[in-house]
mmCIF file of all heavy atoms in Angstrom:
data_model
loop_
_atom_site.group_PDB
_atom_site.id
_atom_site.type_symbol
_atom_site.label_atom_id
_atom_site.label_comp_id
_atom_site.label_asym_id
_atom_site.label_seq_id
_atom_site.Cartn_x
_atom_site.Cartn_y
_atom_site.Cartn_z
ATOM 1 N N TYR A 323 -9.341 -6.580 4.897
ATOM 2 C CA TYR A 323 -9.662 -5.152 5.002
ATOM 3 C C TYR A 323 -9.774 -4.772 6.469
ATOM 4 O O TYR A 323 -10.639 -5.279 7.187
ATOM 5 C CB TYR A 323 -10.969 -4.864 4.254
ATOM 6 C CG TYR A 323 -11.489 -3.444 4.391
ATOM 7 C CD1 TYR A 323 -10.633 -2.367 4.628
ATOM 8 C CD2 TYR A 323 -12.847 -3.176 4.261
ATOM 9 C CE1 TYR A 323 -11.118 -1.078 4.749
ATOM 10 C CE2 TYR A 323 -13.343 -1.889 4.375
ATOM 11 C CZ TYR A 323 -12.473 -0.843 4.623
ATOM 12 O OH TYR A 323 -12.953 0.435 4.743
ATOM 13 N N ILE A 324 -8.901 -3.894 6.908
ATOM 14 C CA ILE A 324 -8.915 -3.427 8.298
ATOM 15 C C ILE A 324 -9.697 -2.123 8.380
ATOM 16 O O ILE A 324 -9.240 -1.089 7.895
ATOM 17 C CB ILE A 324 -7.488 -3.213 8.838
ATOM 18 C CG1 ILE A 324 -6.740 -4.545 8.865
ATOM 19 C CG2 ILE A 324 -7.520 -2.585 10.225
ATOM 20 C CD1 ILE A 324 -5.349 -4.451 9.442
ATOM 21 N N ILE A 325 -10.886 -2.173 8.958
ATOM 22 C CA ILE A 325 -11.668 -0.955 9.180
ATOM 23 C C ILE A 325 -11.175 -0.291 10.463
ATOM 24 O O ILE A 325 -10.952 -0.961 11.480
ATOM 25 C CB ILE A 325 -13.166 -1.268 9.256
ATOM 26 C CG1 ILE A 325 -13.672 -1.699 7.868
ATOM 27 C CG2 ILE A 325 -13.964 -0.066 9.757
ATOM 28 C CD1 ILE A 325 -15.163 -1.957 7.776
ATOM 29 N N GLY A 326 -11.011 1.016 10.423
ATOM 30 C CA GLY A 326 -10.393 1.718 11.534
ATOM 31 C C GLY A 326 -11.334 2.171 12.620
ATOM 32 O O GLY A 326 -10.899 2.516 13.716
ATOM 33 N N SER A 327 -12.637 2.194 12.336
ATOM 34 C CA SER A 327 -13.566 2.670 13.341
ATOM 35 C C SER A 327 -14.644 1.617 13.597
ATOM 36 O O SER A 327 -14.674 0.574 12.953
ATOM 37 C CB SER A 327 -14.202 3.991 12.908
ATOM 38 O OG SER A 327 -14.778 4.636 14.033
ATOM 39 N N ALA A 328 -15.540 1.922 14.536
ATOM 40 C CA ALA A 328 -16.570 0.945 14.933
ATOM 41 C C ALA A 328 -17.762 1.025 13.986
ATOM 42 O O ALA A 328 -18.910 1.155 14.405
ATOM 43 C CB ALA A 328 -16.992 1.208 16.373
ATOM 44 N N VAL A 329 -17.468 0.940 12.694
ATOM 45 C CA VAL A 329 -18.472 1.073 11.640
ATOM 46 C C VAL A 329 -18.368 -0.119 10.698
ATOM 47 O O VAL A 329 -17.512 -0.988 10.855
ATOM 48 C CB VAL A 329 -18.291 2.393 10.857
ATOM 49 C CG1 VAL A 329 -18.417 3.592 11.775
ATOM 50 C CG2 VAL A 329 -16.925 2.426 10.148
ATOM 51 N N GLY A 330 -19.244 -0.135 9.696
ATOM 52 C CA GLY A 330 -19.179 -1.168 8.681
ATOM 53 C C GLY A 330 -20.107 -2.330 8.978
ATOM 54 O O GLY A 330 -20.832 -2.351 9.967
ATOM 55 N N PRO A 331 -20.082 -3.343 8.102
ATOM 56 C CA PRO A 331 -20.952 -4.512 8.290
ATOM 57 C C PRO A 331 -20.463 -5.369 9.457
ATOM 58 O O PRO A 331 -19.271 -5.388 9.769
ATOM 59 C CB PRO A 331 -20.826 -5.261 6.963
ATOM 60 C CG PRO A 331 -19.457 -4.895 6.458
ATOM 61 C CD PRO A 331 -19.262 -3.459 6.879
ATOM 62 N N TYR A 332 -21.392 -6.071 10.093
ATOM 63 C CA TYR A 332 -21.025 -7.019 11.138
ATOM 64 C C TYR A 332 -20.053 -8.049 10.550
ATOM 65 O O TYR A 332 -20.256 -8.508 9.446
ATOM 66 C CB TYR A 332 -22.289 -7.722 11.653
ATOM 67 C CG TYR A 332 -22.036 -8.761 12.703
ATOM 68 C CD1 TYR A 332 -21.661 -8.394 13.986
ATOM 69 C CD2 TYR A 332 -22.158 -10.122 12.408
ATOM 70 C CE1 TYR A 332 -21.412 -9.362 14.961
ATOM 71 C CE2 TYR A 332 -21.920 -11.087 13.373
ATOM 72 C CZ TYR A 332 -21.540 -10.703 14.644
ATOM 73 O OH TYR A 332 -21.290 -11.660 15.595
ATOM 74 N N PRO A 333 -18.938 -8.395 11.226
ATOM 75 C CA PRO A 333 -18.676 -8.184 12.657
ATOM 76 C C PRO A 333 -17.789 -6.990 12.994
ATOM 77 O O PRO A 333 -17.325 -6.888 14.128
ATOM 78 C CB PRO A 333 -17.941 -9.480 13.025
ATOM 79 C CG PRO A 333 -17.096 -9.764 11.818
ATOM 80 C CD PRO A 333 -17.946 -9.359 10.642
ATOM 81 N N TYR A 334 -17.527 -6.075 12.034
ATOM 82 C CA TYR A 334 -16.568 -5.005 12.307
ATOM 83 C C TYR A 334 -16.889 -4.166 13.544
ATOM 84 O O TYR A 334 -16.007 -3.952 14.386
ATOM 85 C CB TYR A 334 -16.409 -4.110 11.079
ATOM 86 C CG TYR A 334 -15.490 -4.694 10.034
ATOM 87 C CD1 TYR A 334 -15.989 -5.184 8.834
ATOM 88 C CD2 TYR A 334 -14.114 -4.760 10.237
ATOM 89 C CE1 TYR A 334 -15.154 -5.728 7.864
ATOM 90 C CE2 TYR A 334 -13.261 -5.289 9.271
ATOM 91 C CZ TYR A 334 -13.788 -5.774 8.095
ATOM 92 O OH TYR A 334 -12.955 -6.303 7.142
ATOM 93 N N PRO A 335 -18.128 -3.652 13.719
ATOM 94 C CA PRO A 335 -18.366 -2.819 14.912
ATOM 95 C C PRO A 335 -18.089 -3.557 16.226
ATOM 96 O O PRO A 335 -17.514 -2.979 17.158
ATOM 97 C CB PRO A 335 -19.858 -2.450 14.780
ATOM 98 C CG PRO A 335 -20.125 -2.515 13.314
ATOM 99 C CD PRO A 335 -19.312 -3.675 12.828
ATOM 100 N N LYS A 336 -18.466 -4.830 16.295
ATOM 101 C CA LYS A 336 -18.226 -5.613 17.505
ATOM 102 C C LYS A 336 -16.742 -5.927 17.663
ATOM 103 O O LYS A 336 -16.194 -5.889 18.768
ATOM 104 C CB LYS A 336 -19.041 -6.913 17.458
ATOM 105 C CG LYS A 336 -19.009 -7.703 18.764
ATOM 106 C CD LYS A 336 -19.947 -8.899 18.697
ATOM 107 C CE LYS A 336 -20.100 -9.577 20.054
ATOM 108 N NZ LYS A 336 -18.852 -10.124 20.580
ATOM 109 N N MET A 337 -16.074 -6.225 16.573
ATOM 110 C CA MET A 337 -14.655 -6.563 16.604
ATOM 111 C C MET A 337 -13.808 -5.365 17.027
ATOM 112 O O MET A 337 -12.913 -5.481 17.877
ATOM 113 C CB MET A 337 -14.229 -7.061 15.225
ATOM 114 C CG MET A 337 -12.782 -7.471 15.117
ATOM 115 S SD MET A 337 -12.482 -8.449 13.615
ATOM 116 C CE MET A 337 -13.036 -7.336 12.321
ATOM 117 N N VAL A 338 -14.095 -4.213 16.450
ATOM 118 C CA VAL A 338 -13.344 -3.003 16.810
ATOM 119 C C VAL A 338 -13.570 -2.650 18.276
ATOM 120 O O VAL A 338 -12.636 -2.282 18.993
ATOM 121 C CB VAL A 338 -13.723 -1.827 15.881
ATOM 122 C CG1 VAL A 338 -13.086 -0.533 16.361
ATOM 123 C CG2 VAL A 338 -13.297 -2.135 14.445
ATOM 124 N N LYS A 339 -14.815 -2.776 18.744
ATOM 125 C CA LYS A 339 -15.092 -2.536 20.164
ATOM 126 C C LYS A 339 -14.282 -3.480 21.042
ATOM 127 O O LYS A 339 -13.708 -3.075 22.058
ATOM 128 C CB LYS A 339 -16.578 -2.713 20.449
ATOM 129 C CG LYS A 339 -16.933 -2.529 21.933
ATOM 130 C CD LYS A 339 -18.378 -2.913 22.197
ATOM 131 C CE LYS A 339 -18.741 -2.769 23.669
ATOM 132 N NZ LYS A 339 -20.136 -3.171 23.931
ATOM 133 N N GLU A 340 -14.229 -4.740 20.646
ATOM 134 C CA GLU A 340 -13.492 -5.742 21.417
ATOM 135 C C GLU A 340 -12.024 -5.339 21.563
ATOM 136 O O GLU A 340 -11.451 -5.393 22.651
ATOM 137 C CB GLU A 340 -13.598 -7.097 20.715
ATOM 138 C CG GLU A 340 -13.042 -8.260 21.500
ATOM 139 C CD GLU A 340 -13.953 -8.696 22.632
ATOM 140 O OE1 GLU A 340 -15.177 -8.583 22.490
ATOM 141 O OE2 GLU A 340 -13.414 -9.146 23.654
ATOM 142 N N PHE A 341 -11.424 -4.912 20.461
ATOM 143 C CA PHE A 341 -10.005 -4.549 20.501
ATOM 144 C C PHE A 341 -9.756 -3.212 21.203
ATOM 145 O O PHE A 341 -8.684 -3.000 21.754
ATOM 146 C CB PHE A 341 -9.428 -4.518 19.083
ATOM 147 C CG PHE A 341 -9.344 -5.875 18.432
ATOM 148 C CD1 PHE A 341 -9.663 -6.034 17.091
ATOM 149 C CD2 PHE A 341 -8.950 -6.988 19.149
ATOM 150 C CE1 PHE A 341 -9.589 -7.278 16.480
ATOM 151 C CE2 PHE A 341 -8.870 -8.247 18.553
ATOM 152 C CZ PHE A 341 -9.189 -8.389 17.212
ATOM 153 N N GLN A 342 -10.735 -2.310 21.175
ATOM 154 C CA GLN A 342 -10.553 -1.011 21.821
ATOM 155 C C GLN A 342 -11.002 -0.998 23.279
ATOM 156 O O GLN A 342 -10.705 -0.045 24.010
ATOM 157 C CB GLN A 342 -11.314 0.079 21.050
ATOM 158 C CG GLN A 342 -10.764 0.380 19.663
ATOM 159 C CD GLN A 342 -9.382 1.018 19.667
ATOM 160 O OE1 GLN A 342 -8.772 1.231 20.705
ATOM 161 N NE2 GLN A 342 -8.882 1.328 18.490
ATOM 162 N N SER A 343 -11.678 -2.044 23.724
ATOM 163 C CA SER A 343 -12.195 -2.042 25.095
ATOM 164 C C SER A 343 -11.103 -2.084 26.152
ATOM 165 O O SER A 343 -11.360 -1.846 27.332
ATOM 166 C CB SER A 343 -13.162 -3.215 25.303
ATOM 167 O OG SER A 343 -12.493 -4.455 25.144
ATOM 168 N N CYS A 344 -9.866 -2.348 25.737
ATOM 169 C CA CYS A 344 -8.735 -2.270 26.677
ATOM 170 C C CYS A 344 -8.657 -0.873 27.294
ATOM 171 O O CYS A 344 -8.195 -0.714 28.440
ATOM 172 C CB CYS A 344 -7.424 -2.630 25.996
ATOM 173 S SG CYS A 344 -7.011 -1.625 24.549
ATOM 174 N N ILE A 345 -9.122 0.142 26.576
ATOM 175 C CA ILE A 345 -9.072 1.520 27.091
ATOM 176 C C ILE A 345 -9.889 1.637 28.375
ATOM 177 O O ILE A 345 -9.403 2.113 29.411
ATOM 178 C CB ILE A 345 -9.596 2.529 26.040
ATOM 179 C CG1 ILE A 345 -8.775 2.448 24.752
ATOM 180 C CG2 ILE A 345 -9.580 3.945 26.609
ATOM 181 C CD1 ILE A 345 -9.359 3.286 23.606
ATOM 182 N N SER A 346 -11.143 1.190 28.322
ATOM 183 C CA SER A 346 -12.012 1.335 29.496
ATOM 184 C C SER A 346 -11.687 0.325 30.586
ATOM 185 O O SER A 346 -11.835 0.629 31.775
ATOM 186 C CB SER A 346 -13.486 1.220 29.092
ATOM 187 O OG SER A 346 -13.744 0.014 28.414
ATOM 188 N N ARG A 347 -11.239 -0.873 30.213
ATOM 189 C CA ARG A 347 -10.854 -1.850 31.238
ATOM 190 C C ARG A 347 -9.732 -1.296 32.102
ATOM 191 O O ARG A 347 -9.760 -1.383 33.335
ATOM 192 C CB ARG A 347 -10.417 -3.174 30.600
ATOM 193 C CG ARG A 347 -11.546 -4.077 30.204
ATOM 194 C CD ARG A 347 -11.078 -5.512 29.995
ATOM 195 N NE ARG A 347 -9.981 -5.625 29.042
ATOM 196 C CZ ARG A 347 -10.151 -5.735 27.729
ATOM 197 N NH1 ARG A 347 -11.374 -5.731 27.222
ATOM 198 N NH2 ARG A 347 -9.114 -5.845 26.938
ATOM 199 N N GLU A 348 -8.739 -0.736 31.440
ATOM 200 C CA GLU A 348 -7.620 -0.148 32.167
ATOM 201 C C GLU A 348 -8.059 1.059 32.982
ATOM 202 O O GLU A 348 -7.703 1.193 34.165
ATOM 203 C CB GLU A 348 -6.522 0.290 31.187
ATOM 204 C CG GLU A 348 -5.782 -0.833 30.522
ATOM 205 C CD GLU A 348 -4.822 -0.334 29.464
ATOM 206 O OE1 GLU A 348 -4.623 0.907 29.353
ATOM 207 O OE2 GLU A 348 -4.273 -1.171 28.740
ATOM 208 N N ALA A 349 -8.816 1.959 32.355
ATOM 209 C CA ALA A 349 -9.227 3.198 33.024
ATOM 210 C C ALA A 349 -10.049 2.903 34.273
ATOM 211 O O ALA A 349 -9.869 3.535 35.319
ATOM 212 C CB ALA A 349 -10.016 4.082 32.072
ATOM 213 N N LYS A 350 -10.947 1.950 34.183
ATOM 214 C CA LYS A 350 -11.792 1.578 35.319
ATOM 215 C C LYS A 350 -10.942 1.063 36.474
ATOM 216 O O LYS A 350 -11.130 1.451 37.641
ATOM 217 C CB LYS A 350 -12.800 0.515 34.872
ATOM 218 C CG LYS A 350 -13.904 0.229 35.880
ATOM 219 C CD LYS A 350 -14.890 -0.770 35.270
ATOM 220 C CE LYS A 350 -16.093 -0.983 36.157
ATOM 221 N NZ LYS A 350 -17.030 -1.971 35.546
ATOM 222 N N LYS A 351 -10.006 0.193 36.155
ATOM 223 C CA LYS A 351 -9.122 -0.367 37.182
ATOM 224 C C LYS A 351 -8.209 0.699 37.763
ATOM 225 O O LYS A 351 -8.019 0.791 38.985
ATOM 226 C CB LYS A 351 -8.291 -1.500 36.574
ATOM 227 C CG LYS A 351 -7.352 -2.182 37.559
ATOM 228 C CD LYS A 351 -6.536 -3.268 36.872
ATOM 229 C CE LYS A 351 -5.567 -3.920 37.867
ATOM 230 N NZ LYS A 351 -4.673 -4.912 37.180
ATOM 231 N N GLN A 352 -7.640 1.537 36.899
ATOM 232 C CA GLN A 352 -6.728 2.586 37.355
ATOM 233 C C GLN A 352 -7.434 3.581 38.257
ATOM 234 O O GLN A 352 -6.898 3.994 39.286
ATOM 235 C CB GLN A 352 -6.115 3.307 36.138
ATOM 236 C CG GLN A 352 -5.123 2.463 35.365
ATOM 237 C CD GLN A 352 -4.810 3.051 33.994
ATOM 238 O OE1 GLN A 352 -5.661 3.667 33.349
ATOM 239 N NE2 GLN A 352 -3.586 2.862 33.529
ATOM 240 N N PHE A 353 -8.653 3.968 37.868
ATOM 241 C CA PHE A 353 -9.404 4.927 38.673
ATOM 242 C C PHE A 353 -9.734 4.337 40.042
ATOM 243 O O PHE A 353 -9.588 5.013 41.069
ATOM 244 C CB PHE A 353 -10.686 5.347 37.953
ATOM 245 C CG PHE A 353 -11.393 6.514 38.602
ATOM 246 C CD1 PHE A 353 -11.058 7.811 38.263
ATOM 247 C CD2 PHE A 353 -12.373 6.316 39.558
ATOM 248 C CE1 PHE A 353 -11.682 8.904 38.866
ATOM 249 C CE2 PHE A 353 -13.015 7.381 40.166
ATOM 250 C CZ PHE A 353 -12.664 8.683 39.826
ATOM 251 N N ALA A 354 -10.164 3.086 40.063
ATOM 252 C CA ALA A 354 -10.500 2.430 41.331
ATOM 253 C C ALA A 354 -9.287 2.360 42.256
ATOM 254 O O ALA A 354 -9.394 2.576 43.467
ATOM 255 C CB ALA A 354 -11.046 1.034 41.066
ATOM 256 N N GLU A 355 -8.113 2.078 41.670
ATOM 257 C CA GLU A 355 -6.893 1.947 42.477
ATOM 258 C C GLU A 355 -6.356 3.298 42.947
ATOM 259 O O GLU A 355 -5.884 3.435 44.073
ATOM 260 C CB GLU A 355 -5.815 1.221 41.668
ATOM 261 C CG GLU A 355 -6.126 -0.250 41.421
ATOM 262 C CD GLU A 355 -5.126 -0.929 40.507
ATOM 263 O OE1 GLU A 355 -4.301 -0.219 39.880
ATOM 264 O OE2 GLU A 355 -5.171 -2.167 40.401
ATOM 265 N N GLU A 356 -6.452 4.309 42.068
ATOM 266 C CA GLU A 356 -5.839 5.604 42.377
ATOM 267 C C GLU A 356 -6.773 6.544 43.133
ATOM 268 O O GLU A 356 -6.323 7.371 43.928
ATOM 269 C CB GLU A 356 -5.377 6.273 41.076
ATOM 270 C CG GLU A 356 -4.273 5.492 40.362
ATOM 271 C CD GLU A 356 -3.961 6.037 38.983
ATOM 272 O OE1 GLU A 356 -4.239 7.247 38.741
ATOM 273 O OE2 GLU A 356 -3.453 5.272 38.145
ATOM 274 N N VAL A 357 -8.077 6.429 42.862
ATOM 275 C CA VAL A 357 -9.043 7.367 43.440
ATOM 276 C C VAL A 357 -10.051 6.639 44.326
ATOM 277 O O VAL A 357 -10.408 7.096 45.405
ATOM 278 C CB VAL A 357 -9.791 8.143 42.319
ATOM 279 C CG1 VAL A 357 -10.715 9.198 42.921
ATOM 280 C CG2 VAL A 357 -8.799 8.775 41.351
ATOM 281 N N GLY A 358 -10.510 5.500 43.825
ATOM 282 C CA GLY A 358 -11.545 4.738 44.524
ATOM 283 C C GLY A 358 -12.896 4.914 43.867
ATOM 284 O O GLY A 358 -13.267 6.019 43.463
ATOM 285 N N GLY A 359 -13.648 3.830 43.747
ATOM 286 C CA GLY A 359 -14.980 3.905 43.177
ATOM 287 C C GLY A 359 -14.969 4.112 41.679
ATOM 288 O O GLY A 359 -14.073 3.655 40.966
ATOM 289 N N LEU A 360 -15.975 4.836 41.191
ATOM 290 C CA LEU A 360 -16.160 5.076 39.766
ATOM 291 C C LEU A 360 -16.176 6.572 39.475
ATOM 292 O O LEU A 360 -16.586 7.368 40.325
ATOM 293 C CB LEU A 360 -17.486 4.472 39.291
ATOM 294 C CG LEU A 360 -17.605 2.945 39.328
ATOM 295 C CD1 LEU A 360 -19.072 2.534 39.189
ATOM 296 C CD2 LEU A 360 -16.778 2.324 38.206
#
Side-chain angles (χ1 to χ4, degrees):
Y323 175 27
I324 296 183
I325 291 184
S327 197
V329 300
Y332 178 72
Y334 280 108
K336 188 174 189 298
M337 181 165 57
V338 173
K339 178 188 179 181
E340 188 76 32
F341 292 140
Q342 293 293 2
S343 63
C344 57
I345 301 172
S346 56
R347 279 198 305 273
E348 290 174 8
K350 191 176 186 181
K351 181 182 178 185
Q352 289 165 327
F353 190 88
E355 291 174 349
E356 296 171 24
V357 185
L360 294 165

